[in-house]
Amino acid sequence: MNITYSIKELGIKDCDSILSLYRSNPQYFEYYPPQPTIDTVKDDLVALPNNVDIANKHYLGFYDEENLLGIIDLITKYPDEQTCFIGLFMIDSKYQNKGLGSKIIEDIFVILKNKKYEYVKLAYILGNERAKAFWEKNGFVPIEERISNEQLKVMLCVRKL
């Protein structure tokens, strides 16, 4: 896929676009309820683990011209100074299975490596085979099963940059 895109920090004014993107991915919300609403989008824009500074949260959108292609919720310096954590990564369903998600992930990882981060971690919900396949294809290695704050079984994964 040869889409060029721009990256911008998302905020409250982008909630309608984010909600549309969320709604294009109903399978995700089968594993991770509740169904998306404007209120859940607003919550996502500020959600952070305990004891993490809001300055470390980067809720980014990827655009081709005016269309929101995808989003990433990236927390830097978490859970330690050398690591970043992906809380959410989602591509609009119209653009999935074309290589765009993997391209964005690789581009983000180049930026993070240039900023001297060493690792990226994330967790996917056990049973979500599409997420598992995507993250493994992109170099993530499972390290530990856990119960998330939402009481869901997740697989914690890591990738060295």
Side-chain angles (χ1 to χ4, degrees):
M1 167 168 258
N2 203 6
I3 286 185
T4 55
Y5 60 87
S6 59
I7 303 172
K8 83 171 198 180
E9 192 88 31
L10 298 174
I12 206 79
K13 66 189 175 326
D14 303 300
C15 284
D16 289 337
S17 297
I18 297 167
L19 182 58
S20 285
L21 184 138
Y22 280 10
R23 288 185 172 158
S24 82
N25 286 281
Q27 181 187 13
Y28 176 82
F29 295 98
E30 290 173 16
Y31 292 98
Y32 195 77
Q35 290 300 307
T37 65
I38 285 291
D39 288 336
T40 63
V41 170
K42 289 176 183 175
D43 290 345
D44 286 350
L45 289 171
V46 296
L48 276 170
N50 292 334
N51 303 316
V52 174
D53 191 300
I54 191 71
N56 292 7
K57 180 170 178 96
H58 307 280
Y59 202 94
L60 305 174
F62 305 93
Y63 287 85
D64 76 344
E65 308 295 323
E66 71 283 345
N67 298 313
L68 180 61
L69 306 173
I71 52 134
I72 191 168
D73 182 4
L74 183 69
I75 301 168
T76 55
K77 300 180 182 178
Y78 179 79
D80 56 53
E81 292 291 312
Q82 299 81 34
T83 306
C84 296
F85 194 89
I86 297 173
L88 175 64
F89 178 69
M90 187 177 287
I91 299 295
D92 187 292
S93 63
K94 294 185 296 262
Y95 302 98
Q96 291 177 3
N97 302 312
K98 296 177 165 88
L100 178 63
S102 294
K103 177 180 178 2
I104 288 172
I105 288 297
E106 283 306 312
D107 291 348
I108 291 292
F109 290 176
V110 167
I111 293 166
L112 294 176
K113 188 172 184 173
N114 287 339
K115 291 182 179 277
K116 306 299 184 211
Y117 290 104
E118 295 179 33
Y119 301 96
V120 176
K121 289 186 176 179
L122 57 82
Y124 64 82
I125 298 168
L126 288 174
N128 187 342
E129 294 300 316
R130 284 182 68 193
K132 176 183 180 191
F134 177 80
W135 293 118
E136 286 180 357
K137 176 180 88 171
N138 283 282
F140 281 82
V141 177
I143 53 175
E144 177 184 7
E145 270 188 40
R146 289 191 175 171
I147 303 293
S148 73
N149 293 344
E150 296 85 7
Q151 301 304 307
L152 298 166
K153 284 187 177 182
V154 298
M155 179 60 73
L156 183 64
C157 301
V158 66
R159 176 176 157 173
K160 182 160 180 32
L161 295 175

